[in-house]
Amino acid sequence: MSGSTRGIDIVTFGCRLNTYESEVMRREATAAGLGELQDGAVIFNTCAVTAEAVRQAKQSIRKARRENPNARIIVTGCAAQTEPATFSDMAEVDLVLGNEEKLKAHNYRALPDFGVNDFEKARVNDIFSVRETASHMVDAIEGRARAFVQVQNGCDHRCTFCIIPYGRGNSRSVPMGAVVEQVKRLAGNGYAEVVLSGVDLTSYGADLPGAPKLGRLVKTILRQVTDVRRLRLSSIDSIEADSELMDVIATEKRLMPHLHLSLQSGDNMILKRMKRRHLRDDSIRFCVEVRALRPDVVFGADIIAGFPTETEAMFENSLGIVEECGLTHLHVFPFSPREGTPAARMPPVRREVVKERAARLRAVGEKAYKRHLASVVGTAQSVLVEREGLGRTEGFTLTALEAGRPGEIVEAMVTGHDGERLVAAPAPAQQVRAA
């Protein structure tokens, strides 16, 4: 996503949490006067989840400098937090901010134009020293039909392949009252759908008084914010799903029937080497239980292909879990070693094998997705219009629909699919519900 306000252009990579934080950054940078610079400013909110994500960020930074030779270029986000020297050593970059620093206006004043010397090119403090996550109120998410609300940040777990805890720090939760107020604010500003986001969403509340869990938060939001039409969860760790969350999945139709699971593998030995907290049967059992509670649920999942030491038999277990869990929206990641993680020191799978396995896993995922598309044809669906001619069902399935404005929910009948998206028309008794 990218957008500009008063000379500030923000380029966002990675997760929904970054999308939310980019709006906070826009407000804080504007308050600091960054938008008043004659040649403007470009801020990169980076992702560190793969080496490829870092490479793409560097490529975009170089391109931005060529296209904006006199603009101020600031780099922040997880990649800036985990490897600040990589970006401060780039001649194209004027300032590097850590993940905590990017959310505070005064840090954007560390530029020569503001009378500050440039000895401190990188402002990146120890992210593990951060103990709380504040509620950064935003009124809108630029260019988005749905809004994102940060409820949690950081992660207490140390999966062997993951660099993110070093970019985000330990798990911190936003107090429940502040989350409710933010959702009220966004619903009052016209958003029909709000997405709860976090680095490790299902760990929500462990650090708060009374240790409320995610299920309690969801119930409280839906009870106190009657204006929100659709509430959605970002990626969850199914082994952490609490009883109240299972109850609200079963009973609350405003909680969307789409769960994206952090599975990573379908093989027990690989899961152990990843230091995941679940086994294969845990994932299958969770999907069976949720489907019994909510038959219309749609599952997505992250799966890594070619993790170090993965044999062909181990990989077959990952292929098989797609059908056994009934996965529909598959995100496949060919293993990419991240320097500083234990997995980077494990015996690697040959690169050509990693790529081949990722391609096979994607092919299985595509077949599962097309089966899902076919199963929805002929049904009535509520579609949130994202942009002209395109929207998403409650199950997050992409839908072509020539009706409604972005942010509106349209009642539609699915007439077919083209292999990539559903094709729908407004229902005979059309009801367009304004966002």
Side-chain angles (χ1 to χ4, degrees):
M1 178 188 96
S2 64
S4 62
T5 301
R6 296 174 60 199
I8 299 174
D9 187 50
I10 299 183
V11 182
T12 307
F13 296 87
C15 65
R16 292 167 175 173
L17 188 55
N18 261 9
T19 298
Y20 173 83
E21 289 176 340
S22 286
E23 294 305 316
V24 179
M25 290 160 49
R26 185 186 307 281
R27 182 188 67 207
E28 297 299 300
T30 300
L34 202 61
E36 299 169 12
L37 293 176
Q38 182 176 351
D39 297 301
V42 185
I43 306 175
F44 289 86
N45 197 7
T46 63
C47 173
V49 71
T50 64
E52 175 63 16
V54 177
R55 188 195 69 79
Q56 289 178 2
K58 293 169 69 176
Q59 184 180 54
S60 295
I61 291 164
R62 294 188 182 103
K63 180 181 178 182
R65 175 56 75 207
R66 290 194 301 270
E67 295 176 350
N68 307 274
N70 298 315
R72 293 299 177 193
I73 292 184
I74 300 171
V75 182
T76 184
C78 287
Q81 181 71 48
T82 57
E83 44 187 292
T86 294
F87 297 100
S88 61
D89 287 346
M90 293 179 68
E92 297 86 353
V93 175
D94 294 298
L95 180 67
V96 180
L97 296 178
N99 262 334
E100 184 68 9
E101 289 75 22
K102 72 183 182 183
L103 303 175
K104 297 174 182 176
H106 69 268
N107 287 309
Y108 290 97
R109 296 193 179 96
L111 293 165
D113 289 64
F114 288 88
V116 178
N117 66 48
D118 58 1
F119 292 116
E120 194 180 18
K121 187 174 181 179
R123 285 192 169 190
V124 182
N125 292 327
D126 178 13
I127 196 68
F128 291 106
S129 68
V130 180
R131 299 298 179 210
E132 296 180 349
T133 288
S135 175
H136 299 283
M137 295 288 183
V138 298
D139 294 314
I141 309 293
E142 184 173 295
R144 299 278 174 159
R146 61 177 55 82
F148 304 98
V149 173
Q150 177 188 8
V151 305
Q152 183 273 340
N153 203 343
C155 185
D156 289 339
H157 311 297
R158 297 295 180 266
C159 297
T160 58
F161 56 84
C162 187
I163 197 73
I164 296 305
Y166 302 94
R168 290 286 181 177
N170 290 323
S171 183
R172 290 122 38 219
S173 307
V174 177
M176 195 176 303
V179 174
V180 170
E181 287 305 309
Q182 174 70 101
V183 176
K184 281 182 180 177
R185 184 171 183 157
L186 290 165
N189 285 343
Y191 282 98
E193 180 173 307
V194 173
V195 183
L196 302 185
S197 62
V199 174
D200 183 20
L201 188 62
T202 33
S203 71
Y204 175 84
D207 58 319
L208 296 177
K213 294 186 179 294
L214 181 62
R216 176 70 55 84
L217 175 65
V218 172
K219 282 186 174 181
T220 302
I221 292 170
L222 292 172
R223 184 175 64 250
Q224 295 190 20
V225 191
T226 56
D227 289 345
V228 69
R229 302 294 299 270
R230 291 160 57 142
L231 189 67
R232 194 179 294 280
L233 303 179
S234 61
S235 180
I236 68 169
D237 201 337
S238 60
I239 200 69
E240 291 182 315
D242 63 278
S243 58
E244 283 192 279
L245 181 60
M246 299 296 279
D247 180 61
V248 77
I249 288 170
T251 60
E252 181 51 77
K253 294 301 182 184
R254 287 187 295 156
L255 180 63
M256 293 297 93
H258 168 253
L259 297 176
H260 191 82
L261 310 177
S262 180
L263 297 188
Q264 309 305 345
S265 176
D267 182 80
N268 285 340
M269 181 56 71
I270 292 298
L271 288 167
K272 288 179 180 178
R273 288 171 180 165
M274 288 178 167
K275 280 198 174 179
R276 300 294 293 166
R277 288 159 295 140
H278 68 272
L279 296 175
R280 175 189 181 85
D281 285 349
D282 296 322
S283 299
I284 296 170
R285 181 167 52 252
F286 175 80
C287 292
V288 170
E289 290 176 358
V290 171
R291 192 166 276 114
L293 297 172
R294 190 80 176 264
D296 61 338
V297 71
V298 176
F299 290 112
D302 296 330
I303 299 183
I304 295 173
F307 187 82
T309 76
E310 183 184 72
T311 65
E312 179 62 24
M314 293 171 179
F315 174 67
E316 290 285 344
N317 284 332
S318 285
L319 287 177
I321 206 167
V322 176
E323 182 173 350
E324 291 182 74
C325 281
L327 305 179
T328 296
H329 303 293
L330 208 62
H331 289 179
V332 175
F333 297 88
F335 176 76
S336 174
R338 296 295 285 120
E339 186 178 348
T341 62
R345 301 190 298 272
M346 295 179 183
V349 175
R350 294 198 317 275
R351 199 68 206 153
E352 62 271 21
V353 175
V354 172
K355 291 181 179 179
E356 184 265 343
R357 287 177 182 171
R360 286 163 60 193
L361 190 54
R362 288 193 185 102
V364 169
E366 287 172 6
K367 288 181 181 178
Y369 181 65
K370 288 179 180 178
R371 285 197 301 270
H372 166 69
L373 292 177
S375 73
V376 182
V377 174
T379 65
Q381 297 288 329
S382 295
V383 179
L384 175 71
V385 179
E386 293 184 337
R387 59 182 185 272
E388 187 175 348
L390 210 60
R392 298 266 182 182
T393 66
E394 292 184 346
F396 208 64
T397 304
L398 198 61
T399 304
L401 176 70
E402 296 299 331
R405 298 186 302 274
E408 290 181 334
I409 294 177
V410 177
E411 302 301 330
M413 182 63 66
V414 180
T415 58
H417 73 86
D418 63 5
E420 295 183 357
R421 65 196 73 183
L422 298 171
V423 178
Q430 181 183 355
Q431 297 177 355
V432 178
R433 302 184 296 205

